[in-house]
Amino acid sequence: MPEARRIAVLVSGQGRNLQALIAACADGRIAGRIVLVLGSRADAPALDRARTAGIETRALDHSAFADRERFDDALAAALDAAQTDLVLLAGFMRILGAGFVRHFAGRLLNIHPSLLPRHPGLHTHRRALEAGDAEHGATVHFVTEELDGGPSIIQGRVRVRTEDTEDTLAERVMQDIEVRIYPQALAWIARGDLALREGRVLLRGKPLPAPLQLDDLEAPFR
Ligand code: GRF
């Protein structure tokens, strides 16, 4: 059993994913603890959730830095100072540069609200509706230099309903999928079950031919 992992979560928004990760750490599902929540803006509600849970927070405003590299360097320095093993992007609205991604390669995860490789980028729920997709969902993936393009670990799907709006679809993806698959992926990586090797995802040493599907798990997180 590896030592308890030191986890940092990067946020910009509401923090519903963060809350699910906090809950999973608190009830022992994760072999680790969240040591730092770092916000790209001081007024992110997610930072309040972290403070309420007694977790150290920091805000780093990108506009205070001359360029993206200096922002990334400050971010990496804050994470290293907290002796972070794992970094989870949870609604973090800044694009991270190649140097940052390389520094944290294999220990940097993101959650994206679509069934990647469909709909990378922004406004995923609107685009799924506009495309007439029958299914939509969310994906947890390793972060590489390609935006929303790193190897996928786990996905969960919802059926798109004819009456769905962007908001109802977003809400279902969040409540039914996101808050389940992110704690699950964190549990695996914190236990040492998950690794990124030569661009491929290994689960317990075996390459994943395709992302795991929430519905196929024998004992999925609830
Ligand atoms: C989530 O939908 C996440 O997938 C996306 O941004 C949203 C963040 O929501 N990257 P929250 O801050 O976790 O509530």
Side-chain angles (χ1 to χ4, degrees), residues 12-18 46 49 90-93 110-113 125 174 178:
S12 302
Q14 292 298 315
R16 292 158 298 175
N17 277 297
L18 170 67
R49 295 188 194 246
F92 187 67
M93 295 305 285
N110 182 41
I111 186 160
H112 182 76
H125 309 299
M174 176 59 70
E178 295 197 48

Side-chain angles (χ1 to χ4, degrees), residues 52-63:
T52 302
I55 299 168
E56 186 186 333
T57 63
R58 268 197 73 176
L60 270 188
D61 180 354
H62 70 98
S63 62

Side-chain angles (χ1 to χ4, degrees), residues 88-129:
L88 274 70
L89 309 182
F92 187 67
M93 295 305 285
R94 305 295 314 164
I95 293 175
L96 297 163
F100 183 94
V101 170
R102 270 199 301 273
H103 184 71
F104 291 101
R107 47 199 190 104
L108 180 58
L109 302 185
N110 182 41
I111 186 160
H112 182 76
S114 81
L115 295 170
L116 290 171
R118 278 188 83 67
H119 311 306
L122 296 174
H123 309 302
T124 56
H125 309 299
R126 187 192 311 165
R127 285 157 60 207
L129 289 174

